[in-house]
Amino acid sequence: MGMVNRLWTIGSLICAGVVFAGNAPAGYASPPMGLPAPYRAPYIPASDGERLQEVPSVADPKVVEMRSLRAKLDAAPQGLDAAIRLANSYIDYSRQIGDAHYAGYAEAVIAPWTALTAPPATALLTQATILQYRHQFDAARDLLQATLRLDARNAQAWLTLATLDMVQGRYEAARKDCAQVTNTSGLELGSACLGNLLSYTGQARQSLALLRQSEVSGGRASIAYQAWIEGLIAETAERLGDWPLAEAHYRSALQLLPRDNFLLVAYADFLLDRGRPGEVLPLLADHSQSDTAFLRVALAQAALHSPEASRYAWMMAARFEALRQRGSDYFGREEARFALQLQHDPQTSLALAQHNWEFQRAPWDARVLLEAALAAHQPRAAAAAVAFVEQTRLEDPIVQSLARQVPMPSSNAARENR
């Protein structure tokens, strides 16, 4: 659950931070016994030659592409088009590998244009995409609206706004956004946008039908677009409780984009929910630079009762602390899961989940809030999530099961008993 957070760029498709490598570097001691989490002391390398993090290979085609685009911009630094292409390449790569540093590189590239008194629409849209990725939703929305005032037929801006509205549970607004995607980009992309939306509003079977049409017609589209549709079908099948169908489409998506962080994390969550943590470790073995992927590895280690579980939990705590020190707080959902499942601290998890709910209202956010409230023996603290599930008619067997455990207000109970 969570593909809606993925944002694609029209063309290649339509559409965090790293502290430690996946394995502790040489000399990286495990936490002393009894040390409270999160561990707050900084790690100091034992030598200048110590490996802290793996960086992408210069032979990686995406890295080659970024270097080529960088050279073109350096040769003509006043070229806005070249800057936008390079920035979008950085953003796509940041999403693919789950490393927010590249989003920062993109921001630096377009900074000369966003600093203008009257920034061009393309620069505003690129900056909005970066802010949406960082979960700075209000600022992203402002820039998207500014983009559309300058260019009302910008299909990418409408699609980005639709994605943002879905993440925040603004489904009526998202429906209008998808209509604009159809008007500005055509029926195929508009149908995919609407199909994505319907899976959140009690119409998952209709969603599946639309997405399967997009799957068939998307055979001529880019690999990235096809993987997006496959991932959305997998997520929708999960909403319907059709686990075999969901798994088949997750696997299809990963055959198309085997290193895509969003797909890997979504499939890892699927495996964890199915009680298959042993399959998560090889799936994510080469993706420890991503904090979201590393969390799933830590969860899998804990589920397997591995002797390494405490070390992975400690390292994950250090990553969250590093994010806080950098002023990043856009992993609220993940941190709430970490506090509940790895630190066994339901009160902290509930506080994090409640704060996260103020900004994000996707199904996973409802689930995390419900799980934390129930574990903290404060079920009514998740009343907002229950009301949201009822109002949107969300179809999700796990979320619905959790919501049924929250006592209903007396007025609702009375209506139920009539």
Side-chain angles (χ1 to χ4, degrees):
M1 301 192 302
M3 292 297 297
V4 71
N5 287 307
R6 172 135 205 178
L7 181 64
W8 304 98
T9 54
I10 295 173
S12 63
L13 152 89
I14 298 240
C15 174
V18 177
V19 181
F20 306 110
N23 295 316
Y28 189 167
S30 295
M33 291 297 293
L35 182 68
Y39 179 54
R40 296 184 180 276
Y43 173 69
I44 300 175
S47 70
D48 289 343
E50 187 171 314
R51 187 182 71 181
L52 296 179
Q53 167 185 341
E54 294 185 11
V55 297
S57 168
V58 294
D60 185 322
K62 290 289 186 180
V63 174
V64 172
E65 177 190 11
M66 288 186 290
R67 294 179 69 177
S68 174
L69 292 171
R70 176 82 258 183
K72 290 178 182 177
L73 180 60
D74 289 344
Q78 303 305 315
L80 174 60
D81 288 346
I84 296 298
R85 284 196 295 272
L86 175 58
N88 284 335
S89 181
Y90 281 142
I91 293 168
D92 287 345
Y93 195 64
S94 184
R95 292 179 178 281
Q96 176 187 327
I97 68 171
D99 186 342
H101 289 93
Y102 289 90
Y105 303 157
E107 191 168 39
V109 166
I110 61 166
W113 287 272
T114 56
L116 296 174
T117 304
T122 50
L124 290 174
L125 175 58
T126 302
Q127 180 65 19
T129 303
I130 294 167
L131 294 176
Q132 188 264 356
Y133 174 56
R134 291 176 177 162
H135 294 196
Q136 295 174 254
F137 296 139
D138 290 343
R141 188 181 301 279
D142 289 344
L143 290 184
L144 289 170
Q145 291 170 345
T147 300
L148 291 166
R149 285 194 293 271
L150 294 172
D151 181 8
R153 293 195 59 78
N154 190 311
Q156 180 63 61
W158 285 116
L159 184 61
T160 306
L161 188 58
T163 301
L164 178 53
D165 281 329
M166 282 186 248
V167 168
Q168 295 195 294
R170 301 182 180 189
Y171 297 140
E172 284 305 312
R175 188 180 296 273
K176 295 175 183 177
D177 301 334
C178 288
Q180 291 289 351
V181 172
T182 301
N183 291 339
T184 55
S185 185
L187 183 61
E188 183 174 326
L189 183 60
S191 295
C193 183
L194 179 61
N196 188 10
L197 171 62
L198 292 179
S199 73
Y200 299 95
T201 58
Q203 302 169 83
R205 294 200 179 279
Q206 296 93 318
S207 166
L208 195 58
L210 274 177
L211 292 171
R212 279 178 156 165
Q213 289 178 9
S214 297
E215 179 186 28
V216 172
S217 61
R220 304 179 300 276
S222 69
I223 295 297
Y225 179 85
Q226 294 177 55
W228 179 50
I229 296 298
E230 291 295 316
L232 291 178
I233 292 174
E235 185 182 57
T236 302
E238 279 197 85
R239 296 265 144 69
L240 293 168
D242 191 336
W243 316 128
L245 181 65
E247 180 157 22
H249 284 277
Y250 275 131
R251 288 181 175 274
S252 294
L254 285 167
Q255 284 180 349
L256 294 165
L257 289 180
R259 296 188 60 81
D260 185 274
N261 184 69
F262 280 83
L263 290 170
L264 287 164
V265 166
Y267 184 43
D269 280 337
F270 173 87
L271 293 172
L272 289 169
D273 279 343
R274 307 278 76 74
R276 295 157 59 185
E279 297 175 52
V280 172
L281 301 183
L283 177 72
L284 301 179
D286 297 327
H287 303 277
S288 59
Q289 77 275 21
S290 160
D291 289 323
T292 52
F294 192 85
L295 173 61
R296 275 66 181 183
V297 172
L299 291 169
Q301 293 281 0
L304 291 166
H305 305 289
S306 163
E308 294 287 290
S310 61
R311 184 169 68 93
Y312 275 86
W314 178 70
M315 293 170 70
M316 192 70 245
R319 289 181 177 222
F320 281 128
E321 181 61 25
L323 286 167
R324 273 190 292 274
Q325 290 177 3
R326 292 206 304 269
S328 300
D329 63 353
Y330 49 86
F331 286 133
R333 178 198 302 168
E334 278 73 20
E335 193 165 8
R337 291 182 70 184
F338 171 74
L340 180 61
Q341 298 180 41
L342 294 177
Q343 291 188 311
H344 310 293
D345 184 352
Q347 297 295 336
T348 296
S349 179
L350 178 57
L352 290 164
Q354 287 176 315
H355 179 68
N356 176 66
W357 186 254
E358 296 176 12
F359 305 98
Q360 289 198 130
R361 298 192 175 184
W364 252 111
D365 302 300
R367 173 175 169 176
V368 167
L369 178 54
L370 285 160
E371 287 177 336
L374 291 168
H377 304 292
Q378 299 179 50
R380 292 192 185 279
V386 175
F388 179 79
V389 170
E390 291 179 349
Q391 177 187 355
T392 62
R393 298 182 293 124
L394 175 68
E395 296 168 279
D396 186 301
I398 295 175
V399 173
Q400 288 174 332
S401 175
L402 292 166
R404 284 193 292 270
Q405 298 176 53
V406 176
M408 299 173 63
S410 58
S411 59
N412 288 348
R415 284 197 295 270
E416 283 290 316
N417 291 329
R418 289 175 186 170

